[in-house]
Amino acid sequence: LNNISIQQSPKGIIILGSTGSVGTQALEVIRDNPAIFKVSVLSALKNSELLIQQAKEFKPEAVVICDESKYLEVKTALSSFDIKVLAGEDALSEVAVYPQGDIVLTALMGSVGLKPTMAAIKAGKNIALANKETLVVAGELVTQLAIENQVKILPVDSEHSAIFQCLVGEEQNEIEKIYLTASGGPFLGKNKDFLATVKKEQALKHPNWVMGAKITIDSASLMNKGLEVIEAKWLFGLDVAQIDVIVHPQSIVHSIVQFTDGSMKAQMGVPDMKLPIQYAINYPDRLKNNFKRFNFLDYPNFSFQKADMETFRNLELAFQSLRKGGNMPCILNAANEIVVEAFLNDKIGFLEMSDVIERCMEEINFVENPQLDDYLETDKHSRILAAELVTKNIF
Ligand code: MN
């Protein structure tokens, strides 16, 4: 490291979604490195209690509570602090462009991340992207906008962080293909008869990663991997045929790049989201930490196997949506958000989630070259149809 890179003042981090799993882990990283990072903005969907607690500790310029009914509670609790309090989803786009913020960590859940991410990119802010739905819904639009504004999109998703880290120093070289690793989730090896009867309590028990409910269900159904395939296409400019999924139940190899000479690079480590988070927000420098180190003797065997896309149809549907292109991944994602919510509320079975998504992909109007408005329309229509199918029990 050269001596010119001495940090002048801490890097301002705008956290969209600070009370979720990634948000709280990002705050742990920031808490451990006060000379390097400071919090510029915190935001929460509805967890006002935790948001208030975080705001008192990290003293950001502003906080956003998306649930407007909780505005007064937050405002009152922070009245003795010099912190601006905003409410409503639209406020996310407002704080995403705050001049005090150097980087925006998008740790929101679902397609609600799209608009604030685009606003931040237009304002020239680098994005630490944990909200994969943004690229799933409108990957082409968002990556193009990032290029136009010379903004970096730094992946926080562990697989994409792995690929990204493997590509450092390889700027001149072409990727032949990538392998996204998948743990297989709690239902690895199970058949359809078993899956037909599973309940959310079983699906919420992920073997390796501790995450929010939505992504944990997506991991159990392999939709998470499907969304990650789409995310990878846009992040790394790949064709669908260059992206493969390989099940690796130990979750130590986080993903693999294969170059045109057949050489492969993998990034490995103990599964801990704090590592990709800190790599993204401190890129290009690595930060020292005391996280648990990998011990080979704990893992005498690594294994790899084919992903079972016949049983876990969501992964196949995601590949299909990407091959079709246009607004198809947006349809898939919106329908998925609805069916996951329905599954979590015991309104729909595990396998029926795929049936609803497939119906939406068949019935929602296909748009080959969508613009932002088309994506927003598609997102809305797909949600309405999916909810209708769930309510009426038609798949
Ligand atoms: Mn991931």
Side-chain angles (χ1 to χ4, degrees), residues 132 156-160 181 209 211 215 219 224-225 228 231 254-255 273:
K132 68 190 77 181
V156 170
D157 211 344
S158 62
E159 295 80 0
H160 306 75
T181 52
W209 296 97
M211 306 173 290
I215 187 172
S219 297
N224 183 53
K225 210 50 55 182
E228 289 180 353
E231 185 186 10
H254 297 313
S255 278
M273 281 308 293

Side-chain angles (χ1 to χ4, degrees), residues 249-357:
Q250 298 80 22
S251 293
I252 298 297
V253 176
H254 297 313
S255 278
I256 302 139
V257 181
Q258 179 177 309
F259 295 96
T260 45
D261 59 355
S263 176
M264 298 163 95
K265 279 166 84 172
Q267 186 265 341
M268 296 167 50
V270 175
D272 181 347
M273 281 308 293
K274 291 203 293 295
L275 183 58
I277 290 167
Q278 75 166 42
Y279 188 80
I281 61 177
N282 202 49
Y283 175 83
D285 297 326
R286 291 186 183 274
L287 262 181
K288 271 189 190 155
N289 61 41
N290 303 317
F291 304 164
K292 190 174 170 231
R293 265 42 174 175
F294 176 73
N295 181 352
F296 278 93
L297 303 181
D298 291 341
Y299 295 87
N301 296 298
F302 276 3
S303 61
F304 298 93
Q305 64 192 77
K306 194 173 178 315
D308 179 0
M309 295 204 275
E310 271 167 46
T311 306
F312 297 88
R313 289 179 52 231
N314 280 354
L315 181 55
E316 173 59 30
L317 291 172
F319 269 109
Q320 268 177 32
S321 78
L322 196 49
R323 280 185 215 110
K324 183 97 192 199
N327 63 340
M328 201 52 90
C330 177
I331 298 171
L332 168 108
N333 178 70
N336 182 57
E337 287 187 32
I338 296 297
V339 294
V340 169
E341 181 77 28
F343 177 71
L344 285 169
N345 291 320
D346 302 315
K347 294 209 172 106
I348 186 175
F350 188 81
L351 293 174
E352 287 157 3
M353 291 196 285
S354 307
D355 299 332
V356 172
I357 295 164

Side-chain angles (χ1 to χ4, degrees), residues 195-236:
L195 293 175
T197 66
V198 296
K199 292 282 169 225
K200 65 179 177 211
E201 290 75 17
Q202 297 157 276
L204 285 169
K205 281 190 192 123
H206 196 277
N208 304 335
W209 296 97
V210 179
M211 306 173 290
K214 198 268 179 178
I215 187 172
T216 306
I217 299 301
D218 283 344
S219 297
S221 72
L222 291 202
M223 180 55 95
N224 183 53
K225 210 50 55 182
L227 301 179
E228 289 180 353
V229 168
I230 303 170
E231 185 186 10
K233 177 198 162 61
W234 296 113
L235 275 174
F236 306 112

Side-chain angles (χ1 to χ4, degrees), residues 11 13-14 16 96-97 102-108 113-132 134-135 142-143 145-146 149-157 164 231 235 276-277 279-283:
K11 211 179 202 183
I13 317 287
I14 294 171
L16 303 182
V97 304
D102 300 299
I103 183 161
V104 178
L105 172 65
T106 62
L108 305 143
L114 178 59
K115 279 204 255 179
T117 305
M118 289 183 69
I121 294 173
K122 283 183 193 158
K125 310 245 181 248
N126 287 335
I127 306 292
L129 186 98
N131 174 244
K132 68 190 77 181
T134 292
L135 286 186
V142 171
T143 46
L145 198 64
N149 290 278
Q150 293 176 297
V151 153
K152 284 196 173 62
I153 299 183
L154 304 149
V156 170
D157 211 344
F164 189 82
E231 185 186 10
L235 275 174
I277 290 167
Y279 188 80
I281 61 177
N282 202 49
Y283 175 83

